[in-house]
Amino acid sequence: MAETTSPTPGPSASAPASDAPVTGPAIRVRLLDQQGGKAANDPPPVPGVTVSVADDSGSELGSAVTNDQGVAAVAIPGKGTYEVSIDESTLPSGVKLTGKKTLTVKVNLASGQNVAFPLNGKVVEATPFAERLVDSIVSGVKYGLIIALAAMGLSLIFGTTGLTNFSHGELITFGAISAYVLNVTFGLPLILAGLLTIGIGGLFGWGQDRVLWRPLRSRGTGIIAMMIVSIGLGLLLRNLFQFFFGAGTRSYNEYTSQRARDFGLFDLSDKEIAIMGIAIVAIVVTTTIMSRTRLGKAMRAVSDNPALSASSGMRVDGVISSVWTMGAALSALAGVLLGVNSQVNFMMGYQLLLMVFAATVLGGLGTVWGAVIGSLVIGVITEVGPLLGVPSSIKEVGALIVLILILLIRPQGILGRAERIG
Amino acid sequence: ACGGGDESSDDNDKDVAKGDGEFVVGSLLPQTGSLAFLGPPEFAGVDLAVQEINEAGGVLGKDARHVKGDSGDTDSGIAPAEADKLIKAKADVIVGAASSGVSMTVIDKILGAGVVQYSPANTSTDFDEGKYAEPDLYFRTAPSDVLQGAVMANLLVEDGRQNVAILARQDSYGETLAEQVKSGLEAAGSKVAVTSFYGEKAPSYDAQVDDVAAAKPDAVVLIAFDETKKIIPQLVGKGVGPQDVATYFVDGNVADYSAESFAADLKGVKGTVPGAEATGEFRERLLAIDPKLKDYSYAAESYDAVITSALAAIAAGNDSGEAIASELVEVTKGGEKCTTFKQCADLLADDKDIDYDGVSGPIEMSDTGSPTSASIGIYEYDTKGGYKAVKYIAGDI
Amino acid sequence: MSDAIPTPQTPESERRKHAEGADGAVVRADNLIAGYLPGVNILNGADLYCQPGELVGIIGPNGAGKSTLLKALFGLVKIHSGTVTLKGEEITNKRADVLVSQGIGFVPQTNNVFPSLTIEENLEMGCYQDPSKFKDRFAFVTDLFPTLGQRAKQRAGSLSGGERQMVAMGRALMMDPSVLLLDEPSAGLSPVMQDEVFVQTRKINQAGVSIIMVEQNARRCLQICDRGYVLDQGTTAYSGTGRELSNDPKVIELYLGTLGKQAG
Amino acid sequence: MDIGNIIDAAFSNAFGPQAIVFALAAIGLNVHFGYTGLLNFGQAGFMAVGAYGLAVTMVRLDLPLLVGVAAGLFASLLLALVLGVPTLRLRADYLAIVTIAAAEILRLVFGAVETKKVFGGSNGLNGFTDTWNDLNPYTGGIDIGIASWGRNDLWAMTVGWIAVALCCLLIWALMRSPWGRVLRSIREDEDAVRSLGKNVFLYKMQALMLGGMIGGLGGIFYALKQASVVPSDYSTNLTFFAYTALLIGGAARVLGPVVGSMIFWFLISGLGEFFSQATSGVDPLIPASIMTDTQASLIRFILMGLGLMLLMIYRPQGIFGDRREIAIDAR
Amino acid sequence: MPVDITSAREALAALPNDPGVRKPDPIVVGDDITRTFGGLKAVDVEHIEIQRGVITALIGPNGAGKTTLFNLLTGFDVPDTGSWSFEDNSLAKVPAYKVARLGMVRTFQLTKVLSKLTVIENMRLGATGQRGEKFFPAIVKALWGGQEDEITARADELLTRFKLDAKREDFAGSLSGGQRKLLEMARALMVDPDLIMLDEPMAGVNPALKQSLLGHVKSLRDEGRTVLFVEHDMDMVRDISDWVIVMAQGQIVAEGTPDAVMADQRVIDAYLGAHHDTDLSELNEDELAEQVEAEIDAEESQ
Ligand SMILES: Nc1ncnc2c1ncn2[C@@H]1O[C@H](COP(=O)(O)OP(=O)(O)OP(=O)(O)O)[C@@H](O)[C@H]1O
Ligand SMILES: Nc1ncnc2c1ncn2[C@@H]1O[C@H](COP(=O)(O)OP(=O)(O)OP(=O)(O)O)[C@@H](O)[C@H]1O
Ligand SMILES: CC(C)C[C@H](N)C(=O)O
Ligand SMILES: [Mg+2]
Ligand SMILES: [Mg+2]
């Protein structure tokens, strides 16, 4: 059977096993010198080794010697169970068998079966724990910083309006998608698209407030009712995104797959460094605005007591508008960064939402610094957890459990303040 | 078939519910969700089959009818509701779901309602195990992953991969296929360095990708659906992308990636997809139904699922789910060979025992309702993110 | 307006008094009907005016609508009918921040501080519209309430009831308003602080600020104010100079009681 | 376009098993949120442990249906206890997030590969409905013109509506009592209630347990009706939808959640059917250039989102709610 | 057992006016109670006794620590150090609801009404020992219906007294500031406490009503209850209290009968001011302002 195999990618140009002179169903053994795992991608073949095949009753069907490609083929009558063994004595010096001498192979493919014997197999030489730990912490910080942007947005809006915004995830998705449209549909460079998206995201937040939340506030709608409205809005937006963007995952046309660089204890690609850098700048700018400027104080004032803020001469609606603008812009930025990190999908924000909530609550609802700290904690625990035994398929569980544990000790969150009674 | 079609129609009337006389096919296939890219060929297959059945005179004297349903993802909870809808619409056979995970969530419901569930794409081994090992109302035209796993393992060994990392979605499909690849590899003397599962809805895959990278594998098998688009760039980022480490896809992610920015990275990536090579003529018939088709995965299996169940209904003389189930295995094996609905239906009209060989292969059903042998195609990607078949490997399950 | 239960009405005599005296008033409310819920009016045609530089006190039973009246003047309660004018210009239902920019300051009865802001920041909010005034006014307010200066960095939410009251009053004074609306400014303050508040209120008033204050410390209030109103069930039941009211036997019987008198 | 089908879909679902699941879930939430003010966003978790309690007992331990039901109820009770001890002293919004987190933890653990041996991984468990189906006294379905149900549905509805009625009766009896008054007071101000000598924690715990158990019952019923227990069925969306049902009807009203979930399903199914018909067939009402049938399946969720918003905007108190209560909320 | 008020007063009058003085028959005894917030020592009480069966007033400048002391005694806040007992039951670390059940009930300075309950429901909630408040008995109305009627009757009586009867069926959230104070106090009375602790009960209550309520407070005493209240209204303190405790900066600085305390120069300087009995309208304002300021300085420097 003449099977065609084209060269596999990368440095390894492996020789096709079909070079063996046997046609029809066969057991083909391929011997490669792993060199203790060092030859990961290009292990040299081991020629001149004898292998033999027996059927399940033990009677030998034939034997063969590996050729230059390290391949030996023994014809078999058809499907069934066979025993394949290697003659260790024929191994060249310096090459040792590191697995079983005899393999029991159940053949159910018409063309037969390929078999290997590990030679000089890998001595378990996985990356040292310390390095993995540092690596995980770094990815945790990166993840945490992205969450932080969204969490600050959430916290700002919660802090000022008291609204637990369940449609916050959609602000993130909105950012990612609008950058996608600018970048892919309109062909702008991603950096420009990202910058524009911050503006568009802000505009989206502003518009949302104008069209929806402000009228609700002026009708005197309660906080819980508004929270439910946000659930409805989230549902609406999510499905609208899917309606127009589709259910698939798409990527920006720049910086999608970038190779990591080795920094000793950890690896990072340029785009990851950029993500972290941008996030940090955004965080610093936001916290400065919050603590230094009049607007920052006004935001906190409005969050405490909107009526009194109005009585102090603040345009409460104006302040809330700026909060929505800022919060949405931050979240849109988070979306862009997340999109750069792990593509664009209509669910991406929603999937992140629980983590964003967890981060905000962990830090203490309504405090901007708390949101940042909470996010970093959540990000790092999520990524480090699998090293410490959290099943990696459900690594979020680690962070969520830590959330509950911390709230046990500090019910008001890390930076939250307990309220005075009486 | 051994029993013969001649007597069965009388038999079945006694212990099997009588259908309403109209043969209704419900389809529970992915319009949305992470398999949505496979929806169009599957729907086209069903539509084509229904069209040809009706051109050939329908089933039991009436036209067959197709009711569409969306299977969504396991986590979108769409499937159970849509299944209810199809059952209400008096479907006798529900073709679907594509994803094994989704099928698992609706199987008891569909079977409990006395309707046949007939998947064109489920490859999980779970459907031949435990409770479902017994004959029931569940059938499929796709081969169990025992086969795809063996082919994949064989391919890896052939390529000289001895330290393989498997990155798989955590569902009925991913878990069992990973398991099959792993046991195949180990039996053939190769080794699995790490098997890492990710949750379907995970917001990030960093930890799993780190797992893979940390194992320093010489090959990566990626068992995924649409998430592939998110995972590939992350693999690249960690230095274990397709250009660093040989990468293998499976039926869940062999798709056209030419629109993706990482398309070029995929050069040389190989993948396996169950199913025989679709003939050009069949493709044309499909294109007549849906001119926009790009992929053809599981179109043939969908088509065959409808044809065989229609034939079973005719053989049983009754269109109820139970009646169809009682004849389904029979019409696929032992008897006079036939390859089109018209041909087979004519034979049945003459009270002959038939053996339908479809466009997806000879379809010899086991008692548990799964094919006993099939072909698996091996594909390879080019520089533009497109793929083409390299060879087809036949095997038994 | 003929419900089963007759709606309370402002007596004709009061109506006339109002019509005669209200000319040229800075703040003037005519026949206000207002409430929180549709169909339930809390103010049933209340009248009030305050001449420039006047100190006007409002007293009345609990639930009479005193706070509601102040809130209505300040645009925080929806006015269904009637008008409010400021220096002859109609301001009915205007937004609060607009009124602030026109020189009205307001100290609510409850929830009158920003709990999560520090004292200093609370006061800063007082001159939100003109931060340049902060330094001067801050010095003035901390001079008035030294505690506030000493505790400038404490969060208002942790303050005692009386301390909060000082912050609330201080915040309004930060604005340097031309009309000041005070809702029970002395509530919760220690006696000496109460005196201080009354004296200072009077002083501020004499510096040219027109003040309308609601007080339950009625006797004190009537001692310092130029004119007083007694509000009952959302209507202006009596009005007159402080002395007139505090000696009016009807007012004493219904609103003032004799407690202070007996002891004093 | 077949108007009959749309009406049929709407009515069948409004009275069908799906509505019962949501009614039970929402009754439980009503105890938590409506009466006690506990912002429990983890109702899906209670339902999940109920369902898994049933399924694990029956599938893994091979015990009979009744034991399974008891196990499910017990599991939800236990969850209430375990969750309540650390969380009941949290402020409302914190409680919301923590309960979501707890429900998600449960869902993730139930669906994890590592626990597959017990919980069946992400495909969940099935194969526990035999007894349930055997008990079914009906021999066929029923078609009453505007609605129709299959044999299995009829059986589920019989049991389900009885359960709903009993729960409502219990809630009615409890909430008119002084016990209910304490709950409602806790919703308003815990400290005040404490100052009057009531053990607030105990009452909250009782409420959490009662509502959790009713939620667990909903989960058990869901499992039986669905004939499978799948972790993804118990995602946060389930809680959201249960809240939607509750608020449509009106919180803190005995019949609010029941009527709410009926209306919810009436609209969802009716709209879904309408749009699927409008976009399918040879000559669809809405041409594919405007909306494909895939997109059409999204429209009902889009409309549901919109509907939920409009409801909260124009009738925040729900169908049965008292407008005056809402006015007090305004801040 | 109602205490004979005149003899109780006489006994008190005989005591020295020292801070922390021992009382003949204390119902509350506390030692070494401290509570700090950051650097601020809000409460620092070496010894305190509250005499049974009389009305004790707790006065002191704003921020003296009165409310904080209330919070500590009733279990709403946790002290840094200290022990105290009520009717010989040690109360340290006892949760707030148990304190209330023991018969020591407090009201809040910033009112806590249950907004979405009607006024009458607020009142009913106050009653203790309700059978219907237990889960299982609650289901059967027959088990608690009778008791409920008694409670309602008692509640209605109190509402009439507090002039809230017209608001009986209204939501408590719609009450005015003063009405809330009244409801808060009336509801606390529903608990039927031995010791009732009122935190500025009359702030914001209109004078005429205040006067009539004083009568009610006195009748509480006459029924044998003990009353401890914080108040800044000296007319009221003078009128109804049998004993006055003065706090400043967390400490008890003086005690005594009302007349004695109000004559105490330190109390006058720090708290009352020299003019609390003067008619403000009769004074030259500048002069008065200066004097008042001087007094304030005295308070600050104390
Ligand atoms: N949670 C807290 N954090 C910080 N400081 C606090 C807190 N609670 C009270 N304080 C401070 O403790 C001091 C005592 O407060 P407290 O409320 O007991 O005073 P008070 O005597 O009741 O005063 P008032 O008569 O004004 O009500 C005040 O200075 C207050 O600012
Ligand atoms: N937010 C509100 N919603 C509904 N009704 C209200 C609201 N606030 C006040 N009320 C009602 O309006 C009436 C007047 O209240 P207002 O606060 O104006 O009284 P007040 O004269 O200031 O009394 P007090 O001296 O007790 O403060 C009261 O009967 C009260 O029940
Ligand atoms: C359509 C296919 C990718 C589905 C896959 N074989 C499964 O069983 O889940
Ligand atoms: Mg008032
Ligand atoms: Mg106090």
Side-chain angles (χ1 to χ4, degrees), chain E residues 172-192:
Chain E
S174 70
L175 296 183
S176 75
Q179 288 168 333
R180 288 172 190 224
K181 280 266 169 210
L182 297 173
L183 177 59
E184 172 113 4
M185 184 166 153
R187 192 180 57 199
L189 290 177
M190 286 296 292
V191 184
D192 198 11

Side-chain angles (χ1 to χ4, degrees), chain D residues 6-23:
Chain D
I6 298 173
I7 293 177
D8 182 274
F11 277 103
S12 305
N13 276 304
F15 294 92
Q18 197 72 25
I20 298 173
V21 173
F22 278 71

Side-chain angles (χ1 to χ4, degrees), chain A residues 60-421:
Chain A
E60 180 160 332
L61 292 173
S63 65
V65 179
T66 53
N67 63 8
D68 287 354
Q69 268 85 40
V71 177
V74 177
I76 49 170
K79 295 162 190 168
T81 309
Y82 300 92
E83 307 244 298
V84 189
S85 15
I86 183 170
D87 183 354
E88 265 183 286
S89 61
T90 59
L91 284 173
S93 64
V95 177
K96 267 184 39 203
L97 180 67
T98 46
K100 277 191 278 183
K101 215 175 84 181
T102 304
L103 295 172
T104 308
V105 188
K106 192 165 160 268
V107 178
N108 56 6
L109 303 183
S111 57
Q113 181 79 37
N114 298 312
V115 170
F117 287 95
L119 301 176
N120 285 343
K122 205 176 213 177
V123 275
V124 188
E125 180 246 337
T127 321
F129 181 81
E131 192 171 321
R132 295 201 61 186
L133 185 66
V134 175
D135 222 17
S136 307
I137 292 178
V138 173
S139 17
V141 169
K142 177 189 71 181
Y143 184 42
L145 284 171
I146 297 178
I147 297 179
L149 294 181
M152 283 196 304
L154 184 77
S155 198
L156 276 175
I157 293 169
F158 174 85
T160 315
T161 61
L163 170 70
T164 312
N165 182 13
F166 278 101
S167 66
H168 197 77
E170 280 55 56
L171 294 177
I172 303 174
T173 316
F174 178 83
I177 290 186
S178 80
Y180 177 89
V181 171
L182 292 175
N183 175 236
V184 177
T185 316
F186 294 111
L188 298 183
L190 184 57
I191 296 187
L192 185 62
L195 285 174
L196 283 177
T197 295
I198 299 180
I200 297 176
L203 207 66
F204 183 53
W206 179 83
Q208 220 185 77
D209 182 54
R210 263 325 278 264
V211 176
L212 181 62
W213 304 111
R214 183 185 297 186
L216 280 183
R217 280 195 302 276
S218 66
R219 299 171 62 98
T221 308
I223 280 307
I224 300 283
M226 287 217 229
M227 189 173 83
I228 306 291
V229 170
S230 82
I231 292 179
L233 179 66
L235 194 66
L236 173 83
L237 289 175
R238 216 154 42 241
N239 285 287
L240 272 181
F241 291 153
Q242 192 185 351
F243 193 102
F244 292 112
F245 186 77
T249 301
R250 308 192 206 173
S251 43
Y252 298 127
N253 59 22
E254 288 168 274
Y255 315 112
T256 312
S257 26
Q258 229 178 32
R259 187 117 352 146
R261 288 199 272 165
D262 196 344
F263 289 87
L265 274 178
F266 55 90
D267 300 343
L268 276 183
S269 61
D270 292 348
K271 73 170 179 186
E272 290 177 299
I273 297 175
I275 288 174
M276 298 212 243
I278 294 171
I280 290 173
V281 170
I283 290 170
V284 170
V285 169
T286 314
T287 45
T288 314
I289 293 181
M290 283 310 287
S291 57
R292 294 287 156 76
T293 67
R294 204 160 70 105
L295 180 66
K297 282 173 200 160
M299 287 177 184
R300 287 188 287 141
V302 171
S303 100
D304 273 359
N305 192 336
L308 188 63
S309 304
S311 316
S312 305
M314 280 168 231
R315 261 191 52 227
V316 172
D317 282 332
V319 173
I320 294 181
S321 274
S322 16
V323 165
W324 269 99
T325 311
M326 241 172 94
L330 279 171
S331 308
L333 178 60
V336 178
L337 297 185
L338 191 64
V340 171
N341 189 59
S342 47
Q343 278 68 49
V344 184
N345 181 286
F346 81 100
M347 287 279 278
M348 59 193 287
Y350 185 63
Q351 285 170 348
L352 198 67
L353 185 64
L354 180 59
M355 290 290 128
V356 175
F357 271 139
T360 320
V361 166
L362 190 58
L365 269 171
T367 66
V368 171
W369 267 118
V372 175
I373 290 173
S375 304
L376 289 175
V377 173
I378 292 283
V380 169
I381 292 176
T382 307
E383 297 297 327
V384 172
L387 284 185
L388 309 175
V390 179
S392 61
S393 63
I394 52 169
K395 58 183 175 173
E396 287 78 18
V397 166
L400 295 178
I401 289 179
V402 169
L403 164 75
I404 295 180
L405 290 182
I406 292 188
L407 287 183
L408 252 179
I409 305 161
R410 270 191 79 80
Q412 70 274 38
I414 297 176
L415 289 191
R417 269 179 287 237
E419 280 165 53
R420 168 187 171 144
I421 305 166

Side-chain angles (χ1 to χ4, degrees), chain B residues 80-361:
Chain B
E82 292 283 283
D84 279 337
K85 189 184 100 183
L86 296 176
I87 292 169
K88 256 190 85 113
K90 306 212 169 64
D92 303 304
V93 179
I94 291 180
V95 177
S99 154
S100 300
V102 173
S103 283
M104 270 297 172
T105 67
V106 291
I107 183 165
D108 279 1
K109 160 169 277 181
I110 296 178
L111 269 46
V115 175
V116 168
Q117 182 180 5
Y118 202 161
S119 169
N122 288 164
T123 53
S124 169
T125 57
D126 285 343
F127 296 101
D128 292 326
E129 278 162 14
K131 183 178 167 210
Y132 305 108
E134 268 123 60
D136 52 18
L137 300 184
Y138 177 85
F139 299 87
R140 58 175 161 183
T141 43
S144 151
D145 275 334
V146 170
L147 190 58
Q148 185 173 197
V151 170
M152 175 60 80
N154 201 37
L155 178 64
L156 289 163
V157 174
E158 178 179 337
D159 289 349
R161 314 297 173 205
Q162 303 218 337
N163 194 39
V164 179
I166 303 176
L167 181 53
R169 65 190 267 122
Q170 186 249 301
D171 70 354
S172 177
Y173 163 65
E175 285 161 11
T176 59
L177 182 51
E179 181 57 38
Q180 291 301 322
V181 172
K182 183 172 174 181
S183 64
L185 276 176
E186 280 167 357
S190 183
K191 201 176 108 213
V192 171
V194 64
T195 309
S196 194
F197 292 99
Y198 61 84
E200 197 171 350
K201 242 174 68 171
S204 102
Y205 304 94
D206 289 358
Q208 288 84 0
V209 169
D210 281 350
D211 271 352
V212 168
K216 305 219 177 98
D218 60 5
V220 175
V221 178
L222 181 56
I223 302 175
F225 289 171
D226 191 58
E227 321 76 79
T228 305
K229 291 179 190 159
K230 291 193 196 179
I231 297 173
I232 291 291
Q234 295 195 14
L235 287 171
V236 172
K238 289 290 173 192
V240 283
Q243 292 311 309
D244 307 290
V245 179
T247 302
Y248 294 80
F249 284 178
V250 291
D251 58 337
N253 52 356
V254 169
D256 187 282
Y257 294 112
S258 49
E260 301 303 315
S261 58
F262 55 78
D265 278 317
L266 295 182
K267 182 184 163 10
V269 168
K270 292 180 184 174
T272 52
V273 180
E277 187 165 19
T279 63
E281 181 260 344
F282 180 63
R283 289 191 178 197
E284 264 154 39
R285 272 151 63 201
L286 286 172
L287 282 174
I289 297 279
D290 181 353
K292 282 180 295 198
L293 279 188
K294 269 194 292 180
D295 292 304
Y296 297 91
S297 306
Y298 295 117
E301 283 80 357
S302 309
Y303 174 86
D304 283 344
V306 178
I307 300 286
T308 45
S309 27
L311 291 174
I314 298 176
N318 178 350
D319 69 303
S320 80
E322 283 162 24
I324 292 174
S326 68
E327 285 294 327
L328 246 179
V329 175
E330 299 305 318
V331 299
T332 64
K333 63 182 187 193
E336 203 162 321
K337 294 251 180 218
C338 53
T339 55
T340 65
F341 175 76
K342 181 139 186 43
Q343 212 182 351
C344 299
D346 291 346
L347 286 173
L348 285 175
D350 298 344
D351 255 3
K352 295 258 175 49
D353 182 10
I354 58 161
D355 172 8
Y356 174 74
D357 279 2
V359 282
S360 67

Side-chain angles (χ1 to χ4, degrees), chain C residues 67 109 183-184:
Chain C
S67 304
Q109 181 177 6
D183 199 348
E184 304 202 20

